[in-house]
Amino acid sequence: MSSKLKMILGSFLLFSLLLGGFVLFNLHRLEDDSSWLDRTHSTIHRLQRTYSDLTEAQANYLSYLLTHQTRYKETCLSQLQALRKDLDRTERTPPEEPLLGKEMGRWETLIGQKLDSIQDGLDDVAAGRSDRALALLQERSEKTRDQEIKSLTTQMIGTQIWFLKTRKAFEELNNRKELRFLAVGGVGVLLLFGLASFLIDRQMREKQALLASLRSSEEKFRFLSEAAHDAFLIADEKGHIIDLNLGAQELFGASESELLGLPISGILRASDAEAVGAIDGLLAETVGTRTLEMTGQKKDGTRFPLEGTVSHWTSQNGAYFTVVLRDITERKFFIKTLLANEHRLFQFLDAIPVAVLVREPNGGVYFVNRKAKELFRIGSEALPSTIRYPDLIRDLYQVGGAQPMPDQELPSSRALAGERTHRDDLELRRGNEVISLEVWGAPIVGEKGRIKFGLSALMDITQQKRSTESLREREEFFRNIFEEGPIGMILSLKDGTLVNANRAFADMLGIPKRDLLGHPFYRYTAPEDAGTEKALDEKLFDRLLPKYELEKRFVDLKGEVLWCKVSASTIRDPQDEPLFRLAIIENITEQKEAASALRESEERFRALAESANDGIISADAAGRIVFFNPSAERLLGYTSDEVRGKPIALLMSPASWEGNKELILRYFSTGDPTLPGRILELTGQRKDGSQFPAEISYFSSRTPGGLFFTSILRDITDRKQLEELKDDLISVVSHQLKTPVAQVNGFIENMLEGLTGEITPSQREYLTEMRSIGEENYRLISDLLSLSKIERGVLQADLQPEPIRQIVELTARDYADFIREKGLEFLFHGPDQDIRVLVDRNKTVEALRNILNNAFKWTDHGSISLSWGIEEGFGVVEIADTGVGMDDPTLKGLFNKSRVLGPEAGRSGAGLGLYIAKRFLDLQNAVISVSSERGKGSTFRIKLPLIRS
């Protein structure tokens, strides 16, 4: 073989090999590209399945809202869970096509939002907010979301169908081209490439299998579309139906052959002007996805409402429209039913006898029923928008209130704030007319928990309140008389069986009321009295006696005998027949015992009085003597018979009687408690006219015979003589000691001033201490001398008009330096005006010095203040300190002479200063008061008679 031939043959062989390799490459590529079929079918299947599950979940959700049956809720929750899992899987395997991926992402987001909306609705129903869930279902945003989900589902399904058809045609065209190419190449290389032909035949068989799989996928898609609940229609650009599913056939009641080729306007009617253009001019008007409400027409001419979604899509063969339709007859019926229910509700509210008022959040009136218009005197034809809310509430008051109720406190206002209220203390006042009201308030909540209205219901309870109050008063009156009366009361039958018994009777016997009822009361009566009472009861029920009274004996739970006074009568029916025996039982055991005790007491008193050393005299309320014991006879020289029935004034000197007559007579006539227990000193007068100092005390006693008074009289002649000797001794001693003590104090003062020469610091210290002791002794002697004069009654007050400022300055003059030397702050203040008081200057200054000296002794830290002024018609001087203070027991005995020897007098002095100050001020008709607290100091206030200019 020549080299040229070899070269040509080799080149041909090389070309054939390259051609065969190219063919093999294309066959393998065709095999690889066939996987798009499964992905497309899987996408279509998932879209249809997910949309179908979502539709079923919505249907179960709506059924649960309408019926509240648990099975719908459980099915809905199960479907929501499955849908969320499906969405999670979709997010992990996104589609390969970018455009489909964008639409799929939007579709998944909307479905997720819808699932959240259904879950929120279920939660609202579980929380008792069904109205909120229904309102959320009717929101326009919910409808828009549902329509967009339908549109996207239809659009993506339509796009995938077009993709299947277009890809199928494209693949068939490529297959034909490849077959022609292979046939031409096969003729040239048939003998050389038998093996290649075998391979091509095998690839063709596999390709046919793929085409069969494609047709099977198309059948699956057809099956899924036929199983969908909604109707699917596909129309060409002229609006003629080119494809539909079984749901469309069922919806319109026609077969596929009857519907194919028909214009869409032949089976749909527009419900509004917007829909007319969308149906009659789909090609020109429809852009993107639109949701319309339309009227469908069945084969038999029946019309029904539809909700339709129109989506537009294009392919190489032209423009197409996918229409998804749903029968909304049930929804329309549901809305119509809601409106009818609302109308019936308003009719019901107008018919009820309760006033109903609904307020808007801005304060306007949204609704008032007929009763509310009558209550507030509004014309029956008046519209809520013409009613001013302030005009309604201007006459509303709280019971007992003088001003109208504030708007913010009314139930309707508190309802707008989210509160539920109820009150029965409001009333509507119009002149003399008062209408009592019971009012309820509650919020009306709309979507998302927002308060839309405030509802208040008002009921006229005027008559009810009057009747209830009257009934309550009568019942309370009779119940209190019977149950709470202090005297026992029982109701019994003719045989004595107790029907009722009050607390007093049960307590009297010591037996619980429940154990008394149902038993004859005779079992608690002393046997010797039972027969008499039974005989009287028979006469009572036989109407022989209208009533009876007797004293009888009961036996209590402990077996003790109780004397009782029983008053019995009968309670009769309208025919005047006796029904019950009413007995009023008064326990007179204490009276019986008291009478016996009184007799015993009188005997003991008489025995005691007969043996007493003091005179014991008793008088009646008129002051006439009724008892005179032997000691009184010996003391006064009268016998008991001589003074019995005589006035008690016979036993006193005329001066003593005149001095004490008013007090004693007031005590005898009124029982004034100021006298009993007090010991008075007066002058007694004997039968022979001689007089003697006496001490007398009075006591009273009330008996069935009236009020009586007993006095104990004691001769104190010996004691008076001893007291006079003591007072004279004190006066003499005090007077004799005052001058030498004053001289010693003067000598000490001269030595301290250096008049006797220089003294050492140690001597000055001793002399200073001696001066302090001497001043205290001088004050003690002065106090004792003053006390002696007070006790002997020789002290008198020389009252003269005096400037109160000068009195205060004289008081402070001798103490100001000592107070400051002690480290205390001394406050001295008062008005500049001339205030004059009627006082004894020296005694007033002495009294104030005693009080200031007391403050100085008992104050170690802080301050002492001395102030003056005018208050309530008096000149007032106030001395306040921050000392140790006093407790209540100390305050009560502060101005008593006896406390000078008590523990409070232990710091310095004899403690007579405050007692003398009080007696000096009493002589001048001045008033002294003190307030104090332990640990916080004391304040003395002295009120002096003011001279008015």
Side-chain angles (χ1 to χ4, degrees):
M1 184 182 297
S2 64
S3 58
K4 184 176 181 180
L5 183 59
K6 290 180 179 180
M7 184 181 65
I8 293 172
L9 185 59
S11 298
F12 183 75
L13 181 60
L14 179 61
F15 173 75
S16 300
L17 292 173
L18 291 175
L19 180 62
F22 176 73
V23 171
L24 290 174
F25 172 75
N26 279 289
L27 288 175
H28 284 293
R29 183 176 57 80
L30 178 63
E31 181 180 1
D32 293 337
D33 289 343
S34 64
S35 61
W36 63 273
L37 288 172
D38 292 333
R39 290 196 301 273
T40 304
H41 285 300
S42 176
T43 301
I44 293 172
H45 175 71
R46 191 177 67 82
L47 289 170
Q48 291 177 332
R49 187 188 70 250
T50 302
Y51 185 74
S52 176
D53 291 345
L54 179 62
T55 303
E56 290 182 4
Q58 284 183 282
N60 285 318
Y61 172 56
L62 181 59
S63 298
Y64 177 61
L65 289 183
L66 295 174
T67 66
H68 287 257
Q69 293 186 10
T70 308
R71 60 190 180 90
Y72 289 116
K73 177 181 177 182
E74 293 176 352
T75 304
C76 182
L77 290 173
S78 176
Q79 290 170 336
L80 292 181
Q81 185 176 7
L83 284 168
R84 292 188 188 278
K85 290 182 179 179
D86 187 58
L87 289 178
D88 292 340
R89 287 195 298 271
T90 302
E91 292 178 357
R92 293 193 293 269
T93 57
E96 295 181 1
E97 296 84 351
L99 180 59
L100 181 61
K102 181 178 180 181
E103 293 177 346
M104 184 69 76
R106 175 60 180 164
W107 179 76
E108 292 168 353
T109 300
L110 291 173
I111 289 180
Q113 293 175 354
K114 184 62 180 179
L115 296 180
D116 293 339
S117 176
I118 293 175
Q119 185 63 53
D120 292 342
L122 292 174
D123 293 341
D124 286 337
V125 174
R129 299 191 292 268
S130 298
D131 52 348
R132 177 177 175 183
L134 286 172
L136 181 63
L137 187 64
Q138 297 298 319
E139 286 187 352
R140 187 172 184 82
S141 60
E142 287 293 315
K143 296 179 180 180
T144 303
R145 185 187 298 121
D146 292 344
Q147 293 165 0
E148 191 172 354
I149 291 173
K150 297 173 188 175
S151 300
L152 282 175
T153 304
T154 305
Q155 181 177 347
M156 289 190 292
I157 291 174
T159 302
Q160 292 299 304
I161 293 173
W162 170 82
F163 180 70
L164 281 173
K165 292 181 177 180
T166 305
R167 187 74 175 262
K168 179 180 177 183
F170 178 73
E171 288 294 331
E172 289 177 350
L173 179 60
N174 284 342
N175 288 341
R176 287 194 294 271
K177 289 180 180 179
E178 289 179 1
L179 288 174
R180 286 195 296 270
F181 176 77
L182 291 175
V184 173
V187 174
V189 292
L190 182 59
L191 298 175
L192 297 176
F193 303 106
L195 180 60
S197 298
F198 171 75
L199 295 175
I200 290 173
D201 181 64
R202 187 181 68 179
Q203 292 295 330
M204 287 299 294
R205 286 195 300 270
E206 293 177 356
K207 184 68 171 290
Q208 291 298 324
L210 290 175
L211 292 175
S213 176
L214 176 61
R215 285 192 293 271
S216 176
S217 297
E218 290 178 351
E219 291 301 322
K220 291 180 181 178
F221 168 71
R222 171 64 59 184
F223 172 77
L224 292 173
S225 64
E226 294 296 338
H229 293 283
D230 292 335
F232 285 82
L233 296 176
I234 298 178
D236 58 17
E237 60 186 4
K238 294 181 180 180
H240 293 86
I241 300 172
I242 62 173
D243 198 3
L244 70 160
N245 69 340
L246 183 60
Q249 298 175 41
E250 294 176 352
L251 184 64
F252 293 101
S255 64
E256 181 178 8
S257 60
E258 290 173 329
L259 294 175
L260 288 176
L262 287 178
I264 290 182
S265 59
I267 60 174
L268 298 179
R269 294 289 183 269
S271 299
D272 50 48
E274 179 186 8
V276 171
I279 295 173
D280 293 340
L282 288 172
L283 292 176
E285 300 293 335
T286 304
V287 178
T289 301
R290 304 186 64 186
T291 302
L292 310 169
E293 283 195 8
M294 296 168 274
T295 301
Q297 181 171 319
K298 295 183 180 292
K299 180 181 178 180
D300 59 3
T302 305
R303 294 191 177 186
F304 58 96
L306 287 172
E307 183 180 77
T309 302
V310 181
S311 59
H312 171 252
W313 52 281
T314 59
S315 68
Q316 291 181 350
N317 297 327
Y320 297 92
F321 298 88
T322 300
V323 182
V324 181
L325 301 172
R326 172 175 288 185
D327 187 348
I328 59 173
T329 304
E330 185 177 346
R331 185 195 304 171
K332 288 287 187 181
F333 174 76
F334 175 69
I335 294 174
K336 183 178 179 181
T337 302
L338 285 179
L339 293 175
N341 289 339
E342 183 178 0
H343 179 66
R344 286 196 294 270
L345 173 62
F346 286 152
Q347 288 182 324
F348 168 75
L349 292 178
D350 266 339
I352 62 176
V354 177
V356 178
L357 172 67
V358 181
R359 289 183 61 189
E360 296 176 333
N362 61 6
V365 178
Y366 176 75
F367 173 78
V368 285
N369 71 340
R370 179 183 57 80
K371 186 63 177 179
K373 291 178 180 179
E374 293 176 0
L375 182 65
F376 293 106
R377 296 182 178 176
I378 303 170
S380 59
E381 301 301 324
L383 298 176
S385 58
T386 64
I387 300 172
R388 295 182 68 254
Y389 182 71
D391 295 338
L392 299 180
I393 65 171
R394 65 187 176 189
D395 296 327
L396 277 176
Y397 292 77
Q398 186 175 7
V399 174
Q403 298 296 328
M405 281 288 292
D407 179 38
Q408 64 272 16
E409 295 183 14
L410 291 173
S412 59
S413 301
R414 296 175 66 182
L416 289 174
E419 297 182 49
R420 290 182 176 271
T421 55
H422 170 248
R423 56 190 308 167
D424 57 0
D425 60 343
L426 297 184
E427 55 189 23
L428 189 63
R429 302 178 187 171
R430 297 194 186 99
N432 295 328
E433 181 185 13
V434 177
I435 300 174
S436 299
L437 297 174
E438 185 172 8
V439 186
W440 294 264
I444 300 177
V445 182
E447 63 277 3
K448 298 180 181 178
R450 186 177 59 188
I451 297 175
K452 298 185 68 175
F453 302 104
L455 170 70
S456 58
L458 306 93
M459 180 180 290
D460 184 351
I461 58 171
T462 306
Q463 190 61 37
Q464 175 187 343
K465 207 167 186 179
R466 290 173 183 168
S467 301
T468 303
E469 187 65 27
S470 176
L471 180 61
R472 183 185 301 113
E473 288 177 356
R474 282 182 291 175
E475 289 180 349
E476 187 68 19
F477 176 74
F478 288 112
R479 188 187 69 82
N480 285 339
I481 289 178
F482 188 85
E483 294 290 345
E484 305 300 332
I487 299 177
M489 285 187 278
I490 60 173
L491 280 177
S492 60
L493 300 176
K494 185 176 182 179
D495 61 359
T497 301
L498 284 174
V499 177
N500 199 359
N502 70 347
R503 183 184 304 172
F505 182 73
D507 292 344
M508 182 177 68
L509 296 183
I511 302 173
K513 180 177 178 179
R514 62 178 180 273
D515 295 337
L516 287 172
L517 303 184
H519 301 289
F521 71 89
Y522 300 123
R523 69 191 299 182
Y524 310 111
T525 302
E528 52 268 30
D529 295 336
T532 303
E533 190 170 18
K534 285 181 180 180
L536 290 173
D537 287 341
E538 289 179 0
K539 293 179 180 180
L540 195 65
F541 276 92
D542 291 339
R543 291 188 288 188
L544 300 176
L545 287 176
K547 61 181 179 178
Y548 69 82
E549 292 183 358
L550 81 159
E551 290 186 1
K552 57 169 287 188
R553 285 161 289 184
F554 280 98
V555 180
D556 65 11
L557 185 64
K558 298 178 181 179
E560 296 180 358
V561 175
L562 303 176
W563 276 96
C564 297
K565 180 180 179 181
V566 179
S567 301
S569 60
T570 56
I571 296 177
R572 304 175 183 271
D573 62 12
Q575 289 73 38
D576 200 33
E577 291 296 327
L579 287 176
F580 304 105
R581 169 185 180 268
L582 172 63
I584 299 175
I585 303 165
E586 181 182 2
N587 188 349
I588 60 174
T589 304
E590 292 184 359
Q591 298 176 15
K592 290 277 189 179
E593 294 176 350
S596 175
L598 178 61
R599 289 191 295 271
E600 294 178 2
S601 176
E602 288 177 348
E603 292 299 325
R604 286 196 299 269
F605 172 76
R606 185 173 299 277
L608 178 64
E610 294 290 342
S611 60
N613 292 325
D614 293 330
I616 300 177
I617 306 163
S618 294
D620 59 17
R624 295 185 295 268
I625 299 172
V626 297
F627 179 77
F628 206 70
N629 76 334
S631 295
E633 292 178 346
R634 291 191 297 271
L635 179 61
L636 295 167
Y638 293 101
T639 65
S640 176
D641 294 335
E642 288 176 329
V643 296
R644 185 173 290 111
K646 301 291 180 66
I648 198 170
L650 179 68
L651 310 179
M652 304 180 196
S653 68
S656 292
W657 173 250
E658 290 298 326
N660 296 281
K661 178 175 66 175
E662 183 179 353
L663 181 64
I664 295 173
L665 292 180
R666 184 172 69 247
Y667 174 50
F668 281 3
S669 61
T670 64
D672 187 351
T674 59
L675 188 58
R678 288 177 54 185
I679 298 176
L680 303 178
E681 288 188 5
L682 48 79
T683 302
Q685 183 167 298
R686 299 184 178 92
K687 180 179 179 180
D688 59 5
S690 61
Q691 298 179 354
F692 62 94
E695 188 177 74
I696 189 171
S697 59
Y698 289 89
F699 300 93
S700 64
S701 61
R702 189 174 297 276
T703 69
L707 189 65
F708 290 87
F709 305 90
T710 300
S711 59
I712 300 176
L713 187 68
R714 176 175 294 177
D715 186 353
I716 57 172
T717 303
D718 295 340
R719 193 176 73 189
K720 282 292 184 181
Q721 291 175 351
L722 290 174
E723 288 179 354
E724 288 179 4
L725 290 175
K726 180 193 69 175
D727 291 340
D728 291 342
L729 177 63
I730 291 175
S731 176
V732 171
V733 172
S734 299
H735 189 271
Q736 294 297 323
L737 288 176
K738 188 173 182 180
T739 300
V741 169
Q743 291 176 348
V744 171
N745 288 342
F747 293 150
I748 294 173
E749 191 68 32
N750 291 338
M751 293 176 69
L752 287 172
E753 291 178 359
L755 297 180
T756 60
E758 292 293 332
I759 58 178
T760 65
S762 177
Q763 292 172 338
R764 178 174 296 278
E765 182 179 354
Y766 281 113
L767 289 173
T768 301
E769 183 66 23
M770 290 172 63
R771 180 180 64 181
S772 177
I773 295 172
E775 289 174 350
E776 288 295 334
N777 288 334
Y778 184 81
R779 176 170 294 280
L780 174 60
I781 293 170
S782 298
D783 288 346
L784 290 173
L785 189 57
S786 298
L787 179 62
S788 176
K789 294 178 180 178
I790 291 171
E791 294 295 332
R792 288 184 295 165
V794 299
L795 201 63
Q796 295 181 351
D798 182 16
L799 302 180
Q800 298 293 333
E802 298 288 348
I804 195 170
R805 182 184 179 94
Q806 291 184 8
I807 293 174
V808 175
E809 287 177 346
L810 287 173
T811 302
R813 182 181 61 188
D814 295 337
Y815 281 93
D817 293 339
F818 291 114
I819 292 172
R820 294 189 179 98
E821 288 176 2
K822 194 176 181 180
L824 303 175
E825 183 181 7
F826 183 56
L827 305 176
F828 184 82
H829 55 87
D832 293 333
Q833 69 186 97
D834 184 19
I835 303 172
R836 293 183 175 270
V837 290
L838 185 64
V839 295
D840 184 316
R841 179 171 184 163
N842 294 332
K843 290 180 175 60
T844 303
V845 170
E846 183 68 19
L848 294 178
R849 282 178 177 175
N850 286 349
I851 297 172
L852 187 60
N853 181 65
N854 184 77
F856 174 72
K857 288 191 297 182
W858 295 98
T859 303
D860 296 327
H861 304 284
S863 64
I864 297 176
S865 67
L866 182 59
S867 60
W868 67 93
I870 297 177
E871 181 181 309
E872 299 177 353
F874 287 90
V876 178
V877 179
E878 184 173 282
I879 300 174
D881 64 70
T882 60
V884 298
M886 294 173 279
D887 53 21
D888 290 340
T890 303
L891 284 173
K892 291 178 181 179
L894 187 63
F895 298 109
N896 293 338
K897 181 176 67 172
S898 59
R899 69 180 294 274
V900 301
L901 299 178
E904 296 294 335
R907 177 175 282 210
S908 60
L912 292 171
L914 294 181
Y915 171 74
I916 294 172
K918 177 72 165 58
R919 295 300 298 270
F920 279 1
L921 293 172
D922 288 343
L923 288 173
Q924 306 172 70
N925 297 319
V927 179
I928 182 171
S929 61
V930 60
S931 61
S932 181
E933 185 176 350
R934 176 70 71 179
K936 295 186 178 181
S938 305
T939 300
F940 289 81
R941 291 173 60 81
I942 299 93
K943 291 183 178 181
L944 303 171
L946 185 67
I947 296 178
R948 301 185 181 275
S949 58

